[in-house]
Amino acid sequence: MSINAEYILTICTGSILLAKTGLLDGKKATTNKRLFKWTEHFPKVDWVREARWVTDKNIYTSSGVSAGMDMVLGFVADQLGYEVAKRQSIQIEYDWKEDSTWDPFSTLYTDNTP
């Protein structure tokens, strides 16, 4: 499957839905850690467990809703520059977690239960 999109951004379990299309095959991605077990169904995707968000070329995936906010600001930084993204985070009074690898939730869910 191909899609005519310059960028694709997905939040939380949206990456599981995107994986179902085959668009994530051969790419790095992440998803919500509480439901990370679902990634077993998509072995062609290089799932990154410990990541707040993952960027693979033009595809951005995040691990959860608040991580999605961080990912979008990361996307803004990639497209328009860090200063623009930082200014936006301050204007919306959001504590932006700028490090995409910072993921305190990756070890909380080991047996797929909250």
Side-chain angles (χ1 to χ4, degrees), residues 19-109:
K20 283 184 157 219
T21 71
L23 287 171
L24 291 179
D25 289 357
K27 299 200 178 341
K28 291 183 179 189
T30 195
T31 191
N32 186 290
K33 300 315 180 300
R34 188 171 58 88
L35 302 169
F36 206 81
K37 187 171 180 75
W38 292 359
T39 63
E40 297 172 351
H41 300 289
F42 307 99
K44 293 180 180 177
V45 179
D46 183 6
W47 293 105
V48 181
R49 183 174 186 86
E50 190 172 346
R52 196 140 177 88
W53 77 90
V54 170
T55 305
D56 192 321
K57 297 182 179 131
N58 69 328
I59 298 177
Y60 291 67
T61 57
S62 75
S63 60
V65 175
S66 62
M69 292 282 295
D70 297 329
M71 175 193 71
V72 168
L73 288 165
F75 175 76
V76 170
D78 290 347
Q79 299 306 306
L80 302 174
Y82 172 80
E83 293 303 322
V84 172
K86 187 63 176 178
R87 185 172 55 249
Q88 288 303 307
S89 72
I90 292 167
Q91 288 176 347
I92 64 173
E93 298 182 9
Y94 181 73
D95 183 18
W96 179 24
K97 310 300 184 285
E98 300 173 29
D99 181 359
S100 67
T101 65
W102 178 80
D103 186 0
F105 303 100
S106 64
T107 58
L108 291 180
Y109 306 106

